[in-house]
Amino acid sequence: MSREPMIAPSLLSADFARLADEVARVADADWLHVDVMDGHFVPNLTLGLPVAKAIQAVSTVPLDCHLMIEDPERWAPGYAEMGARNVTVHAEACTDPCGVARDIRAAGSLAGLAIKPGTPLDDVLEVLPDFDTLLVMSVEPGFGGQSFIPDVLGKVRRARELVDTGHLQVLVEIDGGINADTIEQAAEAGVDVFVAGSAVYGADDPAKAIAALRAQAAAARG
Ligand code: DX5
Ligand code: ZN
């Protein structure tokens, strides 16, 4: 499993009226993070499968779909079928996490499991062998531009250790408040995939911001 840091800009901070242009501005990203919110699991509403398909059609970068929705068992397979590289569901929303992981993988995507800042890693350890990515939320899901919660790094460190000792096989992803001031501590804790919304789309030159974040993460990991 690759240890090169991966940067996944979040489209949530892009201009939704110019989505194709905004996708093109981050062509050198590793993954493109697409936040799907249903107004129920989180108090915000973004986009669903039809818009995700339109993004998929114009993106040269593999999509990383983060489903902040209720009933992920029903909706997640559609994102895998349309060709997303990784489809992440929330542990707090799943009634059958292993079943949804199986369906996502069967449709050809990596399966991701996300945990909110208050959800302990212990709650998901039993099901994690069925997943390919673990998304540790470093803000409460729902909105971009929030401040990083450093307390979640304990979960990252523990997951990293389980991966490095062969007890677990997942990419560790972090999402929320990642920028030039916070990415190094996340990298030191053992993150593989860094989601960054406002830090990339709020920059004058998103491509430069991606390169700078990637270099910072690589240096911090040593
Ligand atoms: C929040 C989303 C994040 C968000 C990150 O619920 O899951 O992906 O876009 O935005 P920043 O990087 O601005 O915190
Ligand atoms: Zn997200």
Side-chain angles (χ1 to χ4, degrees), residues 28-119:
D28 44 4
D30 296 283
W31 285 353
L32 178 58
H33 189 81
V34 178
D35 287 305
V36 176
M37 306 187 189
D38 67 354
H40 294 277
F41 181 72
V42 287
N44 195 6
L45 183 67
T46 54
L47 55 89
L49 194 54
V51 177
K53 279 183 178 165
I55 296 165
Q56 168 78 22
V58 298
S59 182
T60 55
V61 177
L63 299 195
D64 176 33
C65 293
H66 177 194
L67 308 187
M68 286 160 277
I69 61 172
E70 289 180 354
D71 204 3
E73 285 82 0
R74 175 171 174 194
W75 301 107
Y79 292 84
E81 283 156 17
M82 73 161 199
R85 174 67 53 87
N86 182 54
V87 179
T88 292
V89 296
H90 264 270
E92 303 86 359
C94 284
T95 47
D96 178 14
C98 297
V100 71
R102 194 185 321 115
D103 291 347
I104 291 169
R105 283 172 161 180
S109 299
L110 299 175
L113 190 64
I115 49 175
K116 297 206 272 187
T119 302

Side-chain angles (χ1 to χ4, degrees), residues 115-191:
I115 49 175
K116 297 206 272 187
T119 302
L121 190 61
D122 278 328
D123 285 14
V124 297
L125 277 184
E126 205 180 324
V127 299
L128 269 183
D130 286 347
F131 287 86
D132 306 290
T133 64
L134 167 68
L135 175 56
V136 177
M137 289 298 304
S138 40
V139 298
E140 287 301 332
F143 300 93
Q146 303 182 75
S147 297
F148 181 73
I149 301 171
D151 281 0
V152 306
L153 292 179
K155 291 190 276 188
V156 170
R157 281 188 206 97
R158 188 146 168 251
R160 176 85 266 142
E161 197 181 316
L162 289 169
V163 171
D164 288 348
T165 54
H167 293 91
L168 202 58
Q169 244 191 315
V170 289
L171 285 171
V172 181
E173 185 170 6
I174 198 157
D175 183 7
I178 291 295
N179 55 41
D181 296 328
T182 57
I183 195 165
E184 287 170 2
Q185 47 185 309
E188 281 163 11
V191 168

